[in-house]
Amino acid sequence: MSISARNQLTGKIESIQEGAVNAIVTLKLAGGNNITSTISMEAVKDLGLVSGKEATAVIKATEVMIGIGDLKLSARNQFAGEIVKVTEGAVNANVALKTDGGNTITATISMTAVKELGLAPGVKAKAVIKATSVMMAV
């Protein structure tokens, strides 16, 4: 299956914290980064997710935020890195950040935010993704 989501990060499931309705699934990515997903227990069972199984975290670029500096947020997924590409449009831009772990994460953000944050190749930044915005695929 091919999908339009720009961010597809493959790794191995490190842990599954089960709740009554939802689970928190932690995926260990190449380069040492972890990404966390909050998905339903039904999805965990349907996908056959277990520790050690290979899976892919799927995130739409519109669900990725970009921040500068020391961020204290409730979002579980915060990836430090460097902006490698900014593709500007009339209203929005696609911003690619290479994480310190070597993964590339793309965000679609407003041109206003790009200008206010001074985003350009070489700028240190963080990609921020809420765990509820991370889908899992096998």
Side-chain angles (χ1 to χ4, degrees), residues 18 24 32 34 45 50 59 65 69-70 73 79 84 89 91-92 96 101 103 108-109 112 116 118-119 126-127:
E18 296 184 6
I24 298 171
N34 286 347
K45 290 181 184 6
V50 293
I59 311 105
M65 295 171 275
D70 187 29
L73 302 168
F79 300 95
V84 292
V91 177
N92 292 324
N103 296 292
T108 299
I109 62 174
T112 301
E116 286 176 357
L119 300 179
K126 284 186 182 175

Side-chain angles (χ1 to χ4, degrees), residues 38-73:
T38 300
I39 61 174
S40 70
M41 283 301 301
E42 187 174 341
V44 169
K45 290 181 184 6
D46 288 348
L47 294 171
L49 300 182
V50 293
S51 289
K53 183 172 187 169
E54 187 170 291
T56 301
V58 178
I59 311 105
K60 290 181 61 171
T62 53
E63 295 295 320
V64 179
M65 295 171 275
I66 300 291
I68 301 291
D70 187 29
L71 306 172
K72 295 192 188 284
L73 302 168

Side-chain angles (χ1 to χ4, degrees), residues 13-27 35-41 44 49 51 76-77 131-132 134 136:
I13 296 174
E14 186 169 84
S15 66
I16 301 172
Q17 187 178 2
E18 296 184 6
V21 177
N22 290 327
I24 298 171
V25 179
T26 302
L27 190 66
I35 189 163
T36 302
S37 173
T38 300
I39 61 174
S40 70
M41 283 301 301
V44 169
L49 300 182
S51 289
R76 291 180 180 269
N77 301 303
T132 53
V134 178
M136 297 299 290

Side-chain angles (χ1 to χ4, degrees), residues 99-126:
T99 70
D100 292 344
N103 296 292
T104 299
I105 299 175
T106 301
T108 299
I109 62 174
S110 71
M111 282 302 302
T112 301
V114 168
K115 288 179 182 8
E116 286 176 357
L117 296 171
L119 300 179
V123 171
K124 297 288 186 187
K126 284 186 182 175

Side-chain angles (χ1 to χ4, degrees), residues 78-102:
Q78 297 183 35
F79 300 95
E82 184 176 298
I83 304 296
V84 292
K85 185 176 181 184
V86 178
T87 306
E88 297 184 1
V91 177
N92 292 324
N94 286 329
V95 178
L97 178 137
K98 185 164 189 164
T99 70
D100 292 344

